[in-house]
Amino acid sequence: MIRALPFLLAAVALCAAGPARATYRLGPGDVVEVSVLGVQDYRRRVTVDVDGAVALPLVGEIPAEGLAVGDLRRRITEGLVAGRALKNPDVTVELVEYRPFYVSGDVARPGAIPYRPGLTARVAVALAGGYDALRFRSENPLLLAPEIRGQYEAAWVELLRRQARFLTLTAEADGKDTADLSSLSAAPLQPGTVAALAASEARDLKARVADFARQKLFQERALDRLKANVADLETSAQQQEVIVGRQREAVERSSLSFAKGVSPVMRAEEENRALAALSSQFQETTARLVAARKERDEAARGVERLVEERRQRLLREGQDALVDVERLRSQVKASGERLLYAGAVKAQVQRGGRGPDLVVHRRVEGAMQAIAVAEDGELLPGDVLDVAIRPDLSVFAPGQ
């Protein structure tokens, strides 16, 4: 009894529409033809404008919204008489074109449609291209359902993979070799699939972290060797500098003794040759020390570059993964909507062919009213027919 209530209300509303058609009220969009008997040039086809008025020669604008055709005829006659344009004019007013009605919701081509007397909701839906969910863009969704479901699950798998990659990249950037992937279990996929994806990404994270650790350790060991070499050369240079200083002192003493005639000239020459050799060794060690320091500094910058390049790579890959996640969310949503359409068709079949919900939005005495109608219910100009197909959300689901 409760289910029949909307249709009983619709029947009452449609029965009340009979008198309304007999005393049809004009509104914006209606087209009327006005003529005066015996006045050849006074024949006008005018449209009721958005302000609800019609504009005619000799009388100007006349309010027409809400008037019956006969009322409008009387007003035009009164206007012609009051303006003394015509005496006893015989005015004829005909409604030649109704204002359109509108169809919205689950139809192929929603929008405005010209009205014809006796139009029913069934005909209106047909003029709007038919039920969109049942037509499914000229394809059979029941036959395509396995393919659509496969696309839906594939989109979810790819989304899950990119989500897992984003989580592992975030953990890697934080210096961790494990990531919390528990949020992936909420995906509507088989638990085994989710677990396999999580395990694969976890292994990949550990491999990436271990590989970076090896690279960094290798460069750090090379840097340590270079630091040790620099330290040895610095020690050698310091020792040689001391020896060179002592040899200079020896040369000075030898030169002083030679000047006094105490030592022979050969002694002074030997001391000078020794000083030259030691100075050459010191200069060579100093040059090697400069080169070793440069190599050490370059190796240190190499370690810094390795760390910085990894940080930049993780940031870039994390951003790319986040963009992919959002893109794949849209794909999952689109595939899910196609599944809902397919589910709607199956739901209609399971309900024994009961049609969708049809509601007419109609202005009655200045107020909009929503009236549930059957497919054979009649429409009026200016009506808005809303078509809604309620899909069965549980018809298809991943993993079933």
Side-chain angles (χ1 to χ4, degrees), residues 110-125:
I113 299 176
Y115 178 79
R116 294 194 296 268
L119 193 74
T120 64
R122 187 193 307 276
V123 176
V125 171

Side-chain angles (χ1 to χ4, degrees), residues 170-297:
T170 302
E172 187 178 357
D174 293 337
K176 303 175 183 177
D177 63 351
T178 58
D180 183 8
L181 303 177
S182 59
S183 60
L184 303 180
S185 60
L189 294 173
Q190 292 286 355
T193 302
V194 177
L197 273 171
S200 175
E201 283 298 325
R203 289 194 300 270
D204 193 45
L205 171 60
K206 285 186 175 294
R208 295 198 308 268
V209 172
D211 182 62
F212 171 74
R214 284 193 296 270
Q215 293 183 45
K216 186 179 179 184
L217 180 61
F218 176 79
Q219 294 197 13
E220 287 176 341
R221 285 178 176 176
L223 177 60
D224 290 340
R225 288 195 295 269
L226 292 173
K227 288 180 177 179
N229 186 38
V230 168
D232 291 342
L233 288 173
E234 287 176 343
T235 301
S236 297
Q238 290 172 358
Q239 293 174 351
Q240 289 176 9
E241 187 177 15
V242 172
I243 293 173
V244 169
R246 290 175 181 175
Q247 185 60 32
R248 282 199 182 97
E249 293 175 357
V251 169
E252 290 176 358
R253 286 194 301 271
S254 176
S255 298
L256 183 60
S257 298
F258 174 73
K260 293 179 179 181
V262 177
S263 63
V265 67
M266 296 296 296
R267 176 73 180 192
E269 291 177 351
E270 289 176 359
E271 294 293 348
N272 282 323
R273 284 195 296 270
L275 177 61
L278 290 173
S279 297
S280 177
Q281 285 182 342
F282 177 66
Q283 290 175 358
E284 181 182 353
T285 301
T286 301
R288 289 172 57 196
L289 176 59
V290 171
R293 284 173 174 169
K294 182 179 180 181
E295 189 176 3
R296 177 202 62 190
D297 293 342

